[in-house]
Short mmCIF file of all heavy atoms in Angstrom, two decimals:
data_model
loop_
_atom_site.label_atom_id
_atom_site.label_comp_id
_atom_site.label_asym_id
_atom_site.label_seq_id
_atom_site.Cartn_x
_atom_site.Cartn_y
_atom_site.Cartn_z
N MET A 26 77.30 127.51 51.44
CA MET A 26 77.98 126.37 50.81
C MET A 26 77.78 125.15 51.71
O MET A 26 77.88 125.24 52.88
CB MET A 26 79.47 126.69 50.60
CG MET A 26 80.26 125.54 50.04
SD MET A 26 82.00 125.87 49.86
CE MET A 26 82.05 126.24 48.15
N ALA A 27 77.58 124.04 51.07
CA ALA A 27 77.47 122.82 51.77
C ALA A 27 78.75 122.48 52.50
O ALA A 27 79.85 122.78 52.07
CB ALA A 27 77.01 121.70 50.82
N THR A 28 78.61 121.74 53.61
CA THR A 28 79.81 121.32 54.32
C THR A 28 80.46 120.10 53.60
O THR A 28 79.80 119.20 53.20
CB THR A 28 79.41 120.90 55.75
OG1 THR A 28 78.80 121.99 56.42
CG2 THR A 28 80.63 120.44 56.51
N ILE A 29 81.72 120.20 53.44
CA ILE A 29 82.48 119.14 52.73
C ILE A 29 83.25 118.37 53.85
O ILE A 29 83.97 118.98 54.58
CB ILE A 29 83.46 119.69 51.69
CG1 ILE A 29 82.65 120.39 50.64
CG2 ILE A 29 84.30 118.66 51.04
CD1 ILE A 29 83.43 121.25 49.67
N SER A 30 83.13 117.08 53.86
CA SER A 30 83.83 116.29 54.83
C SER A 30 85.17 115.71 54.21
O SER A 30 85.13 115.42 53.04
CB SER A 30 83.02 115.16 55.42
OG SER A 30 82.89 114.10 54.51
N PRO A 31 86.07 115.41 55.04
CA PRO A 31 87.35 114.73 54.52
C PRO A 31 86.98 113.33 53.92
O PRO A 31 87.60 112.92 52.95
CB PRO A 31 88.14 114.55 55.84
CG PRO A 31 87.72 115.71 56.71
CD PRO A 31 86.29 115.81 56.43
N ILE A 32 85.96 112.70 54.46
CA ILE A 32 85.63 111.39 53.90
C ILE A 32 85.00 111.54 52.49
O ILE A 32 85.38 110.77 51.56
CB ILE A 32 84.62 110.68 54.87
CG1 ILE A 32 85.33 110.26 56.14
CG2 ILE A 32 84.04 109.40 54.21
CD1 ILE A 32 84.42 109.76 57.25
N ASP A 33 84.18 112.58 52.30
CA ASP A 33 83.66 112.81 50.98
C ASP A 33 84.79 113.18 49.98
O ASP A 33 84.76 112.63 48.81
CB ASP A 33 82.76 113.98 50.96
CG ASP A 33 81.43 113.73 51.69
OD1 ASP A 33 81.05 112.51 51.84
OD2 ASP A 33 80.80 114.76 52.18
N LEU A 34 85.75 113.83 50.45
CA LEU A 34 86.93 114.16 49.60
C LEU A 34 87.68 112.84 49.18
O LEU A 34 88.03 112.70 48.07
CB LEU A 34 87.84 115.21 50.26
CG LEU A 34 89.01 115.66 49.50
CD1 LEU A 34 88.62 116.34 48.18
CD2 LEU A 34 89.97 116.55 50.31
N GLN A 35 87.92 112.03 50.22
CA GLN A 35 88.65 110.75 49.94
C GLN A 35 87.88 109.89 48.93
O GLN A 35 88.49 109.33 48.08
CB GLN A 35 88.87 110.02 51.25
CG GLN A 35 89.87 110.55 52.18
CD GLN A 35 90.01 109.69 53.43
OE1 GLN A 35 89.15 108.94 53.77
NE2 GLN A 35 91.13 109.89 54.17
N LYS A 36 86.59 109.78 49.09
CA LYS A 36 85.77 109.00 48.23
C LYS A 36 85.86 109.54 46.77
O LYS A 36 85.94 108.79 45.80
CB LYS A 36 84.36 108.91 48.69
CG LYS A 36 84.16 108.03 49.89
CD LYS A 36 82.64 108.09 50.29
CE LYS A 36 82.46 107.28 51.60
NZ LYS A 36 81.03 107.39 51.95
N ALA A 37 85.74 110.86 46.66
CA ALA A 37 85.76 111.52 45.34
C ALA A 37 87.07 111.34 44.60
O ALA A 37 87.10 111.27 43.38
CB ALA A 37 85.41 112.99 45.55
N LEU A 38 88.15 111.26 45.38
CA LEU A 38 89.43 111.18 44.78
C LEU A 38 90.08 109.85 44.86
O LEU A 38 91.36 109.66 44.55
CB LEU A 38 90.40 112.28 45.40
CG LEU A 38 89.86 113.70 45.23
CD1 LEU A 38 90.87 114.65 45.80
CD2 LEU A 38 89.59 114.05 43.77
N LYS A 39 89.32 108.85 45.18
CA LYS A 39 89.83 107.44 45.26
C LYS A 39 90.48 107.06 43.94
O LYS A 39 89.85 107.24 42.85
CB LYS A 39 88.73 106.47 45.62
CG LYS A 39 89.21 105.04 45.76
CD LYS A 39 88.06 104.19 46.27
CE LYS A 39 88.53 102.75 46.40
NZ LYS A 39 87.51 101.83 46.82
N GLY A 40 91.67 106.52 44.03
CA GLY A 40 92.34 106.02 42.82
C GLY A 40 93.19 107.05 42.09
O GLY A 40 93.79 106.78 41.08
N ALA A 41 93.28 108.34 42.67
CA ALA A 41 94.05 109.27 42.03
C ALA A 41 95.56 108.93 42.00
O ALA A 41 96.06 108.28 43.00
CB ALA A 41 93.91 110.63 42.85
N GLU A 42 96.19 109.19 40.98
CA GLU A 42 97.62 108.95 40.84
C GLU A 42 98.38 110.18 40.99
O GLU A 42 98.12 111.22 40.27
CB GLU A 42 97.97 108.32 39.48
CG GLU A 42 97.32 106.91 39.40
CD GLU A 42 97.71 106.20 38.09
OE1 GLU A 42 98.65 106.56 37.58
OE2 GLU A 42 96.89 105.32 37.72
N TYR A 43 99.23 110.27 41.93
CA TYR A 43 99.98 111.49 42.25
C TYR A 43 101.44 111.40 41.75
O TYR A 43 101.98 110.33 41.66
CB TYR A 43 99.96 111.74 43.73
CG TYR A 43 98.63 112.06 44.27
CD1 TYR A 43 97.83 111.05 44.81
CD2 TYR A 43 98.08 113.28 44.24
CE1 TYR A 43 96.53 111.22 45.26
CE2 TYR A 43 96.76 113.53 44.70
CZ TYR A 43 96.01 112.56 45.15
OH TYR A 43 94.74 112.69 45.69
N PRO A 44 102.02 112.58 41.36
CA PRO A 44 101.43 113.95 41.44
C PRO A 44 100.43 114.11 40.39
O PRO A 44 100.45 113.43 39.29
CB PRO A 44 102.66 114.83 41.17
CG PRO A 44 103.61 113.99 40.49
CD PRO A 44 103.40 112.61 40.90
N THR A 45 99.43 115.03 40.64
CA THR A 45 98.42 115.31 39.68
C THR A 45 97.93 116.72 39.82
O THR A 45 98.20 117.33 40.82
CB THR A 45 97.21 114.33 39.94
OG1 THR A 45 96.34 114.43 38.78
CG2 THR A 45 96.47 114.63 41.21
N GLY A 46 97.32 117.22 38.83
CA GLY A 46 96.84 118.61 38.79
C GLY A 46 95.40 118.75 39.11
O GLY A 46 94.64 117.82 39.18
N ARG A 47 95.02 119.99 39.28
CA ARG A 47 93.66 120.35 39.57
C ARG A 47 92.65 119.75 38.58
O ARG A 47 91.63 119.28 38.93
CB ARG A 47 93.47 121.86 39.71
CG ARG A 47 92.07 122.30 39.92
CD ARG A 47 91.93 123.83 39.93
NE ARG A 47 92.12 124.24 38.55
CZ ARG A 47 92.43 125.46 38.27
NH1 ARG A 47 92.67 126.36 39.23
NH2 ARG A 47 92.65 125.84 37.00
N LYS A 48 92.96 119.92 37.25
CA LYS A 48 92.05 119.51 36.25
C LYS A 48 91.69 118.00 36.36
O LYS A 48 90.60 117.52 36.21
CB LYS A 48 92.68 119.80 34.83
CG LYS A 48 91.78 119.41 33.68
CD LYS A 48 92.43 119.79 32.41
CE LYS A 48 91.65 119.28 31.21
NZ LYS A 48 92.32 119.56 29.94
N ASP A 49 92.82 117.18 36.63
CA ASP A 49 92.56 115.76 36.78
C ASP A 49 91.80 115.44 38.02
O ASP A 49 90.96 114.44 38.03
CB ASP A 49 93.91 115.01 36.77
CG ASP A 49 94.59 115.05 35.44
OD1 ASP A 49 93.92 115.08 34.43
OD2 ASP A 49 95.89 115.05 35.39
N LEU A 50 91.97 116.22 39.08
CA LEU A 50 91.23 115.95 40.34
C LEU A 50 89.78 116.25 40.09
O LEU A 50 88.93 115.53 40.66
CB LEU A 50 91.78 116.81 41.46
CG LEU A 50 93.27 116.43 41.91
CD1 LEU A 50 93.76 117.48 42.91
CD2 LEU A 50 93.26 115.08 42.53
N VAL A 51 89.52 117.34 39.41
CA VAL A 51 88.04 117.71 39.12
C VAL A 51 87.42 116.64 38.33
O VAL A 51 86.33 116.18 38.65
CB VAL A 51 88.01 119.04 38.34
CG1 VAL A 51 86.63 119.32 37.80
CG2 VAL A 51 88.44 120.20 39.26
N GLN A 52 88.14 116.16 37.28
CA GLN A 52 87.56 115.06 36.42
C GLN A 52 87.31 113.75 37.21
O GLN A 52 86.24 113.10 37.14
CB GLN A 52 88.48 114.72 35.31
CG GLN A 52 87.92 113.74 34.27
CD GLN A 52 86.57 114.23 33.60
OE1 GLN A 52 86.56 115.31 33.12
NE2 GLN A 52 85.55 113.47 33.73
N LEU A 53 88.26 113.45 38.11
CA LEU A 53 88.04 112.23 38.93
C LEU A 53 86.83 112.38 39.86
O LEU A 53 86.06 111.45 40.04
CB LEU A 53 89.41 112.00 39.71
CG LEU A 53 89.47 110.63 40.47
CD1 LEU A 53 89.28 109.48 39.59
CD2 LEU A 53 90.80 110.61 41.18
N ALA A 54 86.77 113.55 40.50
CA ALA A 54 85.60 113.71 41.40
C ALA A 54 84.30 113.68 40.64
O ALA A 54 83.34 113.06 41.16
CB ALA A 54 85.80 115.14 42.13
N GLN A 55 84.25 114.23 39.45
CA GLN A 55 83.06 114.13 38.65
C GLN A 55 82.74 112.71 38.27
O GLN A 55 81.56 112.28 38.37
CB GLN A 55 83.11 115.03 37.42
CG GLN A 55 83.10 116.52 37.73
CD GLN A 55 83.45 117.36 36.55
OE1 GLN A 55 84.16 116.91 35.58
NE2 GLN A 55 82.97 118.56 36.56
N ASP A 56 83.74 111.97 37.89
CA ASP A 56 83.61 110.59 37.54
C ASP A 56 83.06 109.71 38.70
O ASP A 56 82.33 108.77 38.48
CB ASP A 56 84.92 109.95 37.05
CG ASP A 56 85.39 110.54 35.71
OD1 ASP A 56 84.58 111.25 35.01
OD2 ASP A 56 86.50 110.25 35.31
N HIS A 57 83.36 110.06 39.95
CA HIS A 57 82.95 109.34 41.10
C HIS A 57 81.64 109.91 41.66
O HIS A 57 81.15 109.52 42.69
CB HIS A 57 84.04 109.46 42.22
CG HIS A 57 85.17 108.57 41.97
ND1 HIS A 57 86.47 108.98 42.04
CD2 HIS A 57 85.27 107.23 41.65
CE1 HIS A 57 87.30 107.91 41.81
NE2 HIS A 57 86.57 106.85 41.54
N GLY A 58 81.11 110.82 40.92
CA GLY A 58 79.74 111.39 41.30
C GLY A 58 79.77 112.25 42.51
O GLY A 58 78.81 112.36 43.27
N ALA A 59 80.86 112.95 42.70
CA ALA A 59 80.95 113.83 43.86
C ALA A 59 79.90 115.00 43.79
O ALA A 59 79.53 115.39 42.74
CB ALA A 59 82.32 114.53 43.88
N ASP A 60 79.50 115.45 44.98
CA ASP A 60 78.61 116.53 45.15
C ASP A 60 79.13 117.76 44.42
O ASP A 60 80.30 118.00 44.36
CB ASP A 60 78.50 116.84 46.68
CG ASP A 60 77.53 117.94 46.93
OD1 ASP A 60 76.30 117.65 47.02
OD2 ASP A 60 77.95 119.08 47.16
N THR A 61 78.20 118.58 43.86
CA THR A 61 78.57 119.76 43.13
C THR A 61 79.47 120.71 44.00
O THR A 61 80.42 121.24 43.48
CB THR A 61 77.30 120.55 42.67
OG1 THR A 61 76.47 119.64 41.86
CG2 THR A 61 77.63 121.76 41.87
N ALA A 62 79.11 120.88 45.23
CA ALA A 62 79.93 121.79 46.05
C ALA A 62 81.40 121.32 46.20
O ALA A 62 82.29 122.09 46.21
CB ALA A 62 79.29 121.90 47.49
N LEU A 63 81.56 119.99 46.28
CA LEU A 63 82.91 119.47 46.35
C LEU A 63 83.65 119.66 45.09
O LEU A 63 84.85 120.15 45.07
CB LEU A 63 82.89 117.98 46.79
CG LEU A 63 84.25 117.27 46.78
CD1 LEU A 63 85.14 117.99 47.75
CD2 LEU A 63 84.06 115.82 47.28
N VAL A 64 83.01 119.47 43.97
CA VAL A 64 83.61 119.65 42.63
C VAL A 64 83.99 121.11 42.48
O VAL A 64 85.17 121.39 42.05
CB VAL A 64 82.73 119.22 41.47
CG1 VAL A 64 83.37 119.53 40.16
CG2 VAL A 64 82.50 117.68 41.58
N GLU A 65 83.08 121.97 42.86
CA GLU A 65 83.43 123.41 42.75
C GLU A 65 84.57 123.79 43.63
O GLU A 65 85.38 124.65 43.29
CB GLU A 65 82.16 124.28 43.10
CG GLU A 65 81.12 124.19 42.04
CD GLU A 65 79.80 124.84 42.46
OE1 GLU A 65 79.70 125.28 43.58
OE2 GLU A 65 78.94 124.94 41.56
N ARG A 66 84.67 123.23 44.83
CA ARG A 66 85.74 123.51 45.75
C ARG A 66 87.09 123.07 45.16
O ARG A 66 88.07 123.78 45.21
CB ARG A 66 85.48 122.75 47.05
CG ARG A 66 86.43 123.16 48.14
CD ARG A 66 85.84 124.50 48.61
NE ARG A 66 86.56 124.94 49.72
CZ ARG A 66 87.36 126.04 49.56
NH1 ARG A 66 87.39 126.71 48.49
NH2 ARG A 66 88.02 126.44 50.64
N ILE A 67 87.13 121.95 44.57
CA ILE A 67 88.37 121.44 43.87
C ILE A 67 88.71 122.37 42.68
O ILE A 67 89.87 122.66 42.53
CB ILE A 67 88.22 119.97 43.40
CG1 ILE A 67 88.05 119.03 44.65
CG2 ILE A 67 89.43 119.54 42.62
CD1 ILE A 67 87.62 117.68 44.32
N GLU A 68 87.68 122.82 41.98
CA GLU A 68 87.92 123.66 40.81
C GLU A 68 88.54 125.00 41.31
O GLU A 68 89.24 125.68 40.51
CB GLU A 68 86.62 124.00 40.04
CG GLU A 68 86.17 122.83 39.28
CD GLU A 68 84.80 123.06 38.59
OE1 GLU A 68 83.96 123.87 39.19
OE2 GLU A 68 84.49 122.51 37.56
N SER A 69 88.27 125.40 42.48
CA SER A 69 88.75 126.68 43.00
C SER A 69 90.24 126.58 43.61
O SER A 69 90.77 127.64 43.96
CB SER A 69 87.87 127.24 44.14
OG SER A 69 88.04 126.46 45.30
N LEU A 70 90.78 125.42 43.58
CA LEU A 70 92.13 125.24 44.07
C LEU A 70 93.15 125.87 43.13
O LEU A 70 92.84 126.07 41.91
CB LEU A 70 92.49 123.75 44.23
CG LEU A 70 91.67 122.97 45.25
CD1 LEU A 70 92.10 121.57 45.24
CD2 LEU A 70 91.84 123.59 46.65
N PRO A 71 94.33 126.19 43.59
CA PRO A 71 95.35 126.72 42.70
C PRO A 71 95.67 125.73 41.55
O PRO A 71 95.61 124.46 41.79
CB PRO A 71 96.59 126.89 43.61
CG PRO A 71 96.04 126.85 44.98
CD PRO A 71 94.77 126.06 44.97
N ASP A 72 96.01 126.25 40.41
CA ASP A 72 96.36 125.41 39.24
C ASP A 72 97.85 124.98 39.41
O ASP A 72 98.72 125.64 38.93
CB ASP A 72 96.17 126.19 37.97
CG ASP A 72 96.33 125.26 36.78
OD1 ASP A 72 96.23 124.00 36.97
OD2 ASP A 72 96.50 125.83 35.66
N LYS A 73 98.04 123.90 40.15
CA LYS A 73 99.40 123.42 40.45
C LYS A 73 99.34 121.92 40.58
O LYS A 73 98.26 121.30 40.57
CB LYS A 73 99.99 124.03 41.73
CG LYS A 73 99.18 123.56 42.97
CD LYS A 73 99.92 124.10 44.24
CE LYS A 73 99.41 123.30 45.44
NZ LYS A 73 100.30 123.62 46.61
N GLU A 74 100.48 121.29 40.69
CA GLU A 74 100.52 119.85 40.92
C GLU A 74 100.43 119.55 42.41
O GLU A 74 101.12 120.19 43.20
CB GLU A 74 101.89 119.28 40.38
CG GLU A 74 101.91 119.29 38.84
CD GLU A 74 101.84 117.93 38.19
OE1 GLU A 74 102.57 117.07 38.68
OE2 GLU A 74 101.09 117.77 37.22
N PHE A 75 99.66 118.54 42.73
CA PHE A 75 99.56 118.15 44.19
C PHE A 75 100.27 116.84 44.26
O PHE A 75 100.11 115.93 43.40
CB PHE A 75 98.08 117.95 44.51
CG PHE A 75 97.31 119.29 44.55
CD1 PHE A 75 96.66 119.72 43.41
CD2 PHE A 75 97.38 120.10 45.63
CE1 PHE A 75 96.02 120.91 43.33
CE2 PHE A 75 96.66 121.30 45.66
CZ PHE A 75 95.99 121.72 44.51
N ASP A 76 101.15 116.69 45.32
CA ASP A 76 102.02 115.55 45.38
C ASP A 76 101.35 114.37 46.19
O ASP A 76 101.95 113.32 46.30
CB ASP A 76 103.41 115.83 45.98
CG ASP A 76 103.30 116.45 47.39
OD1 ASP A 76 102.19 116.58 47.98
OD2 ASP A 76 104.32 116.78 47.97
N GLY A 77 100.20 114.51 46.72
CA GLY A 77 99.53 113.41 47.41
C GLY A 77 98.23 113.89 48.00
O GLY A 77 97.82 115.06 47.96
N PRO A 78 97.42 112.99 48.55
CA PRO A 78 96.09 113.30 49.12
C PRO A 78 96.19 114.29 50.27
O PRO A 78 95.27 115.09 50.45
CB PRO A 78 95.54 111.93 49.55
CG PRO A 78 96.66 110.99 49.58
CD PRO A 78 97.75 111.53 48.66
N ASP A 79 97.26 114.23 51.02
CA ASP A 79 97.37 115.25 52.15
C ASP A 79 97.44 116.65 51.64
O ASP A 79 96.92 117.55 52.21
CB ASP A 79 98.61 114.88 53.03
CG ASP A 79 98.48 113.57 53.81
OD1 ASP A 79 97.25 113.14 53.98
OD2 ASP A 79 99.45 113.04 54.28
N ALA A 80 98.23 116.82 50.50
CA ALA A 80 98.36 118.21 49.94
C ALA A 80 97.01 118.65 49.44
O ALA A 80 96.69 119.81 49.56
CB ALA A 80 99.37 118.15 48.81
N VAL A 81 96.18 117.78 48.82
CA VAL A 81 94.90 118.17 48.36
C VAL A 81 94.01 118.48 49.57
O VAL A 81 93.35 119.53 49.53
CB VAL A 81 94.24 117.05 47.52
CG1 VAL A 81 92.86 117.41 47.11
CG2 VAL A 81 95.07 116.73 46.28
N SER A 82 94.06 117.71 50.52
CA SER A 82 93.16 117.95 51.77
C SER A 82 93.53 119.26 52.39
O SER A 82 92.68 120.05 52.70
CB SER A 82 93.37 116.85 52.81
OG SER A 82 92.80 115.67 52.32
N ARG A 83 94.81 119.63 52.50
CA ARG A 83 95.25 120.85 53.02
C ARG A 83 94.67 121.98 52.24
O ARG A 83 94.11 122.95 52.82
CB ARG A 83 96.77 120.97 53.12
CG ARG A 83 97.34 120.29 54.38
CD ARG A 83 98.78 120.60 54.67
NE ARG A 83 99.70 120.32 53.49
CZ ARG A 83 100.22 119.17 53.24
NH1 ARG A 83 100.02 118.21 54.11
NH2 ARG A 83 100.98 118.96 52.14
N ALA A 84 94.83 121.86 50.95
CA ALA A 84 94.38 122.97 50.03
C ALA A 84 92.86 123.15 50.10
O ALA A 84 92.43 124.26 50.18
CB ALA A 84 94.79 122.64 48.62
N VAL A 85 92.12 122.05 50.16
CA VAL A 85 90.66 122.17 50.25
C VAL A 85 90.18 122.72 51.55
O VAL A 85 89.33 123.67 51.57
CB VAL A 85 90.05 120.76 50.02
CG1 VAL A 85 88.58 120.73 50.39
CG2 VAL A 85 90.20 120.30 48.54
N PHE A 86 90.74 122.25 52.65
CA PHE A 86 90.20 122.69 54.00
C PHE A 86 90.85 123.92 54.54
O PHE A 86 90.21 124.64 55.32
CB PHE A 86 90.30 121.46 54.97
CG PHE A 86 89.36 120.39 54.48
CD1 PHE A 86 89.88 119.19 54.03
CD2 PHE A 86 88.01 120.51 54.57
CE1 PHE A 86 89.06 118.14 53.62
CE2 PHE A 86 87.11 119.50 54.15
CZ PHE A 86 87.73 118.30 53.65
N GLU A 87 92.04 124.31 54.07
CA GLU A 87 92.62 125.58 54.54
C GLU A 87 92.08 126.76 53.85
O GLU A 87 92.05 127.86 54.44
CB GLU A 87 94.13 125.55 54.40
CG GLU A 87 94.86 124.64 55.43
CD GLU A 87 96.33 124.51 55.20
OE1 GLU A 87 96.85 125.17 54.31
OE2 GLU A 87 96.97 123.75 55.98
N SER A 88 91.60 126.57 52.57
CA SER A 88 91.05 127.70 51.89
C SER A 88 89.53 127.82 51.99
O SER A 88 88.89 128.60 51.41
CB SER A 88 91.39 127.58 50.36
OG SER A 88 90.86 126.34 49.83
N ALA A 89 88.96 126.95 52.92
CA ALA A 89 87.51 126.99 53.10
C ALA A 89 87.04 128.19 53.82
O ALA A 89 87.77 128.79 54.58
CB ALA A 89 87.05 125.67 53.79
#
C-alpha cells in the first residue's frame, strides 16, 4: 500500500464540515482528487461520525 501522509489527508478533506461520517469523507476525498490508496483507507474506517480532523487523522493513522 502506498504511504499516506498527513498533508495528503488534510488536502483531501479540506472544507469538511464536522461532525461528519465516513461516506461524506470518502466523497470529499474523491471530489478533491485524492489518491486511490487514501480513498480506500478512508473507506476502511469505522462507519461512525467523526467530530473533527484530529479524530479522522487518528483513525486513519492508528489503523494503518
Side-chain angles (χ1 to χ4, degrees):
M26 175 183 262
T28 301
I29 298 169
S30 77
I32 293 171
D33 291 337
L34 182 63
Q35 284 180 342
K36 287 179 183 178
L38 301 181
K39 183 177 181 179
E42 294 184 23
Y43 295 95
T45 193
R47 177 185 67 199
K48 182 179 175 183
D49 292 330
L50 293 172
V51 168
Q52 185 62 53
L53 188 59
Q55 290 172 333
D56 290 349
H57 284 128
D60 182 83
T61 302
L63 178 54
V64 173
E65 289 174 353
R66 191 77 177 112
I67 296 168
E68 286 175 331
S69 74
L70 296 177
D72 189 17
K73 67 174 196 168
E74 291 249 315
F75 295 90
D76 61 2
D79 290 341
V81 176
S82 290
R83 277 193 303 275
V85 166
F86 295 108
E87 286 178 2
S88 60

